[in-house]
Coordinates of all heavy atoms in Angstrom, one line a residue:
D499 N -100.3 -76.5 51.6 CA -101.6 -76.1 52.3 C -102.4 -75.2 51.4 O -101.8 -74.3 50.6 CB -101.2 -75.4 53.6 CG -100.6 -76.3 54.6 OD1 -100.6 -77.4 54.4 OD2 -100.0 -75.7 55.6
G500 N -103.7 -75.3 51.4 CA -104.5 -74.2 50.7 C -106.0 -74.7 50.5 O -106.3 -75.7 51.0
V501 N -106.6 -73.9 49.7 CA -108.0 -74.2 49.4 C -108.0 -74.9 48.0 O -107.5 -74.4 47.0 CB -108.9 -72.9 49.3 CG1 -110.3 -73.2 48.9 CG2 -108.9 -72.3 50.7
Y502 N -108.7 -76.0 47.9 CA -108.6 -76.8 46.6 C -110.1 -77.0 46.2 O -111.0 -77.2 46.9 CB -108.0 -78.2 46.8 CG -106.5 -78.1 47.0 CD1 -105.9 -77.7 48.3 CD2 -105.6 -78.4 46.0 CE1 -104.6 -77.6 48.5 CE2 -104.2 -78.3 46.2 CZ -103.7 -78.0 47.4 OH -102.4 -78.0 47.6
R503 N -110.2 -77.1 44.8 CA -111.4 -77.5 44.2 C -111.3 -79.0 43.8 O -110.3 -79.4 43.1 CB -111.8 -76.8 42.9 CG -113.0 -77.3 42.2 CD -113.3 -76.6 40.9 NE -113.7 -75.2 41.0 CZ -112.9 -74.2 40.6 NH1 -111.8 -74.4 40.0 NH2 -113.5 -73.0 40.7
L504 N -112.1 -79.9 44.2 CA -112.2 -81.3 44.0 C -113.3 -81.5 43.0 O -114.4 -81.2 43.2 CB -112.4 -82.1 45.2 CG -111.4 -81.9 46.4 CD1 -111.8 -82.8 47.5 CD2 -110.0 -82.1 45.9
S505 N -113.0 -82.1 41.9 CA -114.1 -82.6 40.9 C -113.9 -84.0 40.6 O -112.7 -84.5 40.5 CB -113.8 -81.8 39.5 OG -113.9 -80.4 39.7
Y506 N -115.0 -84.7 40.6 CA -115.0 -86.2 40.5 C -116.2 -86.7 39.7 O -117.2 -86.0 39.7 CB -114.8 -86.8 41.8 CG -115.8 -86.3 42.8 CD1 -117.1 -87.0 43.0 CD2 -115.6 -85.2 43.6 CE1 -118.0 -86.5 43.9 CE2 -116.5 -84.7 44.5 CZ -117.8 -85.3 44.6 OH -118.6 -84.9 45.5
G507 N -116.1 -87.9 39.2 CA -117.3 -88.5 38.5 C -117.1 -89.9 38.1 O -115.9 -90.4 38.1
I508 N -118.1 -90.6 37.8 CA -118.1 -92.0 37.5 C -119.2 -92.3 36.6 O -120.3 -91.7 36.6 CB -118.1 -92.9 38.8 CG1 -117.6 -94.3 38.4 CG2 -119.4 -92.8 39.3 CD1 -117.4 -95.1 39.6
V509 N -119.0 -93.3 35.6 CA -120.0 -93.8 34.8 C -120.2 -95.3 35.0 O -119.2 -96.0 34.9 CB -119.8 -93.6 33.3 CG1 -120.9 -94.1 32.4 CG2 -119.6 -92.1 33.0
L510 N -121.5 -95.7 35.4 CA -121.6 -97.1 35.9 C -122.6 -97.9 34.9 O -123.5 -97.3 34.3 CB -122.3 -97.1 37.3 CG -121.5 -96.4 38.4 CD1 -122.3 -96.3 39.6 CD2 -120.2 -97.3 38.6
I511 N -122.4 -99.1 34.9 CA -123.3 -100.0 34.2 C -123.7 -101.1 35.2 O -123.0 -101.7 35.8 CB -122.7 -100.8 33.0 CG1 -122.1 -99.7 32.0 CG2 -123.7 -101.6 32.3 CD1 -121.3 -100.3 30.9
A512 N -125.1 -101.1 35.5 CA -125.5 -102.0 36.6 C -126.5 -103.1 36.0 O -127.2 -102.9 34.9 CB -126.3 -101.2 37.6
E513 N -126.6 -104.2 36.6 CA -127.5 -105.3 36.3 C -128.8 -105.3 37.1 O -129.6 -106.2 36.9 CB -126.8 -106.7 36.4 CG -125.6 -106.8 35.5 CD -126.0 -106.7 34.0 OE1 -127.0 -107.1 33.7 OE2 -125.2 -106.2 33.2
S514 N -128.9 -104.3 38.0 CA -130.2 -104.2 38.8 C -130.3 -102.7 39.2 O -129.4 -101.8 38.8 CB -130.0 -105.0 40.0 OG -128.9 -104.7 40.9
Y515 N -131.3 -102.4 39.9 CA -131.6 -101.0 40.2 C -131.1 -100.8 41.7 O -131.1 -101.7 42.6 CB -133.1 -100.8 40.2 CG -133.7 -100.9 38.9 CD1 -134.2 -102.1 38.5 CD2 -133.8 -99.9 38.0 CE1 -134.8 -102.3 37.2 CE2 -134.3 -100.0 36.7 CZ -134.9 -101.2 36.4 OH -135.4 -101.4 35.1
G516 N -130.6 -99.5 42.0 CA -130.2 -99.2 43.4 C -129.6 -97.9 43.5 O -129.2 -97.3 42.5
A517 N -129.4 -97.4 44.7 CA -128.8 -96.1 45.0 C -127.3 -96.3 45.1 O -126.8 -97.3 45.8 CB -129.4 -95.5 46.3
V518 N -126.5 -95.3 44.6 CA -125.1 -95.3 44.8 C -124.6 -93.9 45.2 O -125.1 -92.9 44.8 CB -124.4 -95.7 43.4 CG1 -122.9 -95.5 43.5 CG2 -124.9 -97.0 42.9
R519 N -123.7 -93.9 46.2 CA -123.1 -92.7 46.7 C -121.6 -92.6 46.3 O -120.9 -93.6 46.5 CB -123.2 -92.6 48.2 CG -124.7 -92.6 48.6 CD -124.8 -92.9 50.2 NE -124.1 -91.9 51.0 CZ -123.8 -92.1 52.3 NH1 -124.2 -93.2 52.9 NH2 -123.2 -91.1 52.9
L520 N -121.2 -91.5 45.6 CA -119.8 -91.3 45.2 C -119.3 -90.2 46.0 O -119.9 -89.1 46.1 CB -119.8 -91.0 43.7 CG -118.5 -90.8 43.1 CD1 -117.7 -92.1 43.1 CD2 -118.6 -90.3 41.6
F521 N -118.1 -90.3 46.6 CA -117.6 -89.3 47.4 C -116.0 -89.3 47.4 O -115.3 -90.2 47.0 CB -118.1 -89.4 48.8 CG -118.0 -90.8 49.4 CD1 -116.8 -91.3 50.0 CD2 -119.2 -91.6 49.3 CE1 -116.8 -92.6 50.4 CE2 -119.2 -92.8 49.8 CZ -118.0 -93.4 50.4
A522 N -115.5 -88.0 47.6 CA -114.0 -87.9 47.7 C -113.6 -88.2 49.2 O -114.4 -87.8 50.1 CB -113.6 -86.5 47.2
R523 N -112.4 -88.6 49.4 CA -111.9 -88.8 50.8 C -110.6 -88.2 51.0 O -109.7 -88.1 50.0 CB -111.8 -90.4 51.1 CG -113.1 -91.2 50.9 CD -112.9 -92.6 51.4 NE -111.9 -93.3 50.6 CZ -111.8 -94.7 50.6 NH1 -112.6 -95.4 51.4 NH2 -110.8 -95.2 50.0
V524 N -110.3 -87.8 52.2 CA -109.0 -87.3 52.5 C -108.4 -88.1 53.6 O -109.1 -88.3 54.7 CB -109.0 -85.8 52.9 CG1 -109.9 -85.5 54.0 CG2 -107.6 -85.3 53.2
N525 N -107.3 -88.8 53.3 CA -106.7 -89.7 54.2 C -107.6 -90.8 54.6 O -107.6 -91.2 55.8 CB -106.1 -88.9 55.5 CG -105.1 -87.8 55.1 OD1 -104.4 -88.0 54.2 ND2 -105.2 -86.8 55.8
G526 N -108.4 -91.3 53.7 CA -109.3 -92.4 54.0 C -110.6 -92.0 54.6 O -111.5 -92.9 54.9
V527 N -110.9 -90.7 54.9 CA -112.1 -90.3 55.5 C -112.9 -89.4 54.6 O -112.4 -88.6 53.9 CB -111.8 -89.4 56.8 CG1 -113.0 -88.9 57.5 CG2 -110.9 -90.2 57.8
R528 N -114.2 -89.7 54.6 CA -115.1 -89.0 53.7 C -115.1 -87.5 53.9 O -115.1 -87.1 55.1 CB -116.5 -89.6 53.8 CG -116.8 -91.0 53.4 CD -118.2 -91.4 53.6 NE -118.5 -92.8 53.7 CZ -119.6 -93.4 54.0 NH1 -120.6 -92.6 54.4 NH2 -119.7 -94.7 53.9
I529 N -115.2 -86.8 52.9 CA -115.3 -85.3 53.0 C -116.8 -85.0 52.9 O -117.4 -85.3 51.8 CB -114.6 -84.6 51.9 CG1 -113.0 -85.0 52.0 CG2 -114.8 -83.1 52.0 CD1 -112.3 -84.4 50.8
P530 N -117.5 -84.5 54.0 CA -118.9 -84.4 53.9 C -119.5 -83.5 52.7 O -120.6 -83.8 52.2 CB -119.2 -83.7 55.3 CG -118.1 -84.1 56.1 CD -116.9 -84.2 55.2
S531 N -118.8 -82.5 52.4 CA -119.3 -81.6 51.3 C -118.9 -82.2 49.9 O -119.4 -81.6 48.9 CB -118.6 -80.2 51.4 OG -117.2 -80.3 51.3
A532 N -118.2 -83.3 49.8 CA -117.8 -83.8 48.5 C -118.4 -85.1 48.3 O -117.8 -86.2 48.2 CB -116.2 -83.9 48.4
E533 N -119.8 -85.1 48.1 CA -120.6 -86.4 48.0 C -121.7 -86.2 46.9 O -122.3 -85.1 47.0 CB -121.1 -86.9 49.3 CG -121.9 -88.1 49.1 CD -122.4 -88.7 50.5 OE1 -121.6 -88.5 51.5 OE2 -123.5 -89.2 50.5
A534 N -121.8 -87.2 46.0 CA -122.8 -87.1 45.0 C -123.6 -88.5 45.1 O -123.0 -89.5 45.3 CB -122.3 -86.8 43.6
T535 N -124.9 -88.4 44.8 CA -125.8 -89.6 44.9 C -126.6 -89.8 43.6 O -127.0 -88.8 43.0 CB -126.7 -89.5 46.1 OG1 -125.9 -89.2 47.3 CG2 -127.5 -90.7 46.3
G536 N -126.8 -91.1 43.3 CA -127.6 -91.3 42.1 C -128.2 -92.7 42.2 O -127.8 -93.5 43.1
T537 N -129.2 -92.9 41.4 CA -129.9 -94.2 41.4 C -129.6 -94.9 40.1 O -130.1 -94.3 39.0 CB -131.4 -94.1 41.7 OG1 -131.6 -93.5 43.0 CG2 -132.1 -95.5 41.6
V538 N -128.9 -96.0 40.0 CA -128.6 -96.5 38.8 C -129.8 -97.3 38.2 O -130.7 -97.8 38.9 CB -127.5 -97.6 38.9 CG1 -126.1 -96.7 39.3 CG2 -127.7 -98.6 39.9
I539 N -129.8 -97.5 36.8 CA -130.9 -98.2 36.1 C -130.4 -99.4 35.4 O -129.3 -99.3 34.8 CB -131.6 -97.2 35.1 CG1 -132.2 -95.9 35.8 CG2 -132.7 -97.9 34.3 CD1 -132.6 -94.9 34.8
K540 N -131.0 -100.4 35.6 CA -130.5 -101.7 35.0 C -130.3 -101.6 33.5 O -131.1 -101.2 32.8 CB -131.5 -102.8 35.3 CG -131.1 -104.2 34.8 CD -132.2 -105.2 35.2 CE -131.8 -106.6 34.6 NZ -132.8 -107.7 35.0
G541 N -129.1 -102.0 33.1 CA -128.6 -102.1 31.8 C -128.3 -100.8 31.1 O -128.0 -100.8 29.9
A542 N -128.3 -99.7 31.8 CA -128.1 -98.4 31.2 C -126.8 -97.8 31.7 O -126.4 -98.0 32.9 CB -129.3 -97.4 31.4

Side-chain angles (χ1 to χ4, degrees):
D499 294 345
V501 176
Y502 288 80
R503 177 188 290 115
L504 305 181
S505 300
Y506 51 92
I508 196 169
V509 178
L510 300 171
I511 303 173
E513 297 300 327
S514 60
Y515 299 91
V518 177
R519 295 165 62 190
L520 181 68
F521 42 84
R523 301 186 300 191
V524 58
N525 302 325
V527 179
R528 297 179 195 172
I529 302 173
S531 60
E533 181 175 325
T535 303
T537 301
V538 296
I539 301 173
K540 181 179 179 180

